[in-house]
Amino acid sequence: VQLQASGGGLAQAGDSLRLACVASGGTFSRYVMAWFRQAPGKEREFVAAIYRNGRVLLGDSVEGRSTISRDNDKKTVYLQMNSLKPEDTAVYYCAAKHTILSESRVFTLQDDYAYWGQGTLVTVSS
């Protein structure tokens, strides 16, 4: 599956931003979809994931401020980020992992995901 992320840009602290990731070349509904981010000089970190059955995982850094959703008809996963902070500045990557519908394991590591998009830059100014 190929992934194309978009929606990044320049925002001010307190603003909201919605990222989108469109998939092609695979059966989108069969994948766990996730967002990771990598800030300058830091390791890539887990942001959020949404499973085939709608189960959502959120990273500690965005818990309470962000939501992840998916539209299987549009083959798109969204990351809605609210109350943005300067520390949210990073390149945001979407990722996909093929799973069964009843999957219950937690997938929050980079190595869990086989497919990656190219990333979209989010810059938050104070």
Side-chain angles (χ1 to χ4, degrees):
V1 63
Q2 293 80 46
L3 305 173
Q4 180 74 38
S6 63
L10 181 62
Q12 292 189 333
D15 284 352
S16 297
L17 208 60
R18 188 176 80 158
L19 307 182
C21 176
V22 180
S24 61
T27 304
F28 180 77
S29 61
R30 294 180 180 177
Y31 292 84
V32 173
M33 300 301 299
W35 289 94
F36 287 75
R37 69 184 185 185
Q38 188 165 18
K42 295 187 177 181
E43 294 188 355
R44 194 170 296 187
E45 68 169 344
F46 172 78
V47 176
I50 185 165
Y51 284 52
R52 293 179 58 179
N53 60 6
R55 177 189 183 190
V56 168
L57 302 176
L58 290 174
D60 292 341
S61 60
V62 300
E63 179 79 49
R65 298 189 296 123
S66 298
T67 57
I68 185 171
S69 60
R70 65 190 297 162
D71 185 330
N72 288 340
D73 291 335
K74 294 182 178 179
K75 297 185 177 182
T76 302
V77 60
Y78 303 97
L79 180 68
Q80 176 71 42
M81 297 188 295
N82 303 317
S83 302
L84 285 166
K85 305 175 181 179
E87 49 263 45
D88 292 321
T89 295
V91 177
Y92 285 72
Y93 298 90
C94 60
K97 177 179 178 63
H98 191 274
T99 68
I100 59 175
L101 180 59
S102 59
E103 180 62 66
S104 61
R105 291 173 292 175
V106 171
F107 300 124
T108 60
L109 303 178
Q110 292 186 63
D111 290 346
D112 291 332
Y113 294 85
Y115 305 98
W116 291 84
Q118 86 290 357
T120 184
L121 176 63
V122 172
T123 303
V124 183
S125 62
S126 58

